[in-house]
Amino acid sequence: MPVPAAAAPLLFDLPYTPLAKRPLPAGRPRDWYITHNRRLKAMRLAIALLDSGVYLPNQAHNRRIRATAERVGIHPPSDTTCHMVRALMRYSR
């Protein structure tokens, strides 16, 4: 006897697999690449902080952001990147 669609369990905890990396577009100024990579790093750190229970920007001090980066395996962020992490957390609210 077929199981109704509503009774079938949905799996949301599938393992995360990152997308295949593509090279960045050539011909942009060096500052564009630096800013782009900084934004990606800030997003990864903001997600890691949210996953660890830090939901407010005033809870995310530079020490905590750098400790999270070390735990996740990301190079220690600069003060500018830490500021960007807090800004991302602030604007997501």
Side-chain angles (χ1 to χ4, degrees):
M1 182 166 160
V3 177
L10 295 175
L11 299 176
F12 289 113
D13 293 334
L14 295 176
Y16 169 75
T17 55
L19 298 173
K21 290 187 177 183
R22 297 185 339 218
L24 293 174
R28 307 248 175 148
R30 179 171 170 77
D31 288 341
W32 183 90
Y33 297 103
I34 292 169
T35 305
H36 175 76
N37 288 330
R38 180 169 282 154
R39 285 181 183 146
L40 291 178
K41 185 179 205 175
M43 281 191 287
R44 286 194 300 270
L45 286 169
I47 290 168
L49 284 166
L50 291 170
D51 286 346
S52 69
V54 178
Y55 300 113
L56 299 174
N58 60 358
Q59 294 174 330
H61 303 290
N62 287 359
R63 278 191 326 261
R64 182 171 278 176
I65 293 172
R66 289 187 175 115
T68 303
E70 185 179 337
R71 194 171 344 130
V72 175
I74 299 174
H75 285 280
S78 65
D79 290 341
T80 305
T81 305
C82 290
H83 179 74
M84 196 176 283
V85 169
R86 286 188 291 276
L88 282 171
M89 292 175 77
R90 188 173 300 118
Y91 294 132
S92 69
R93 301 198 94 223

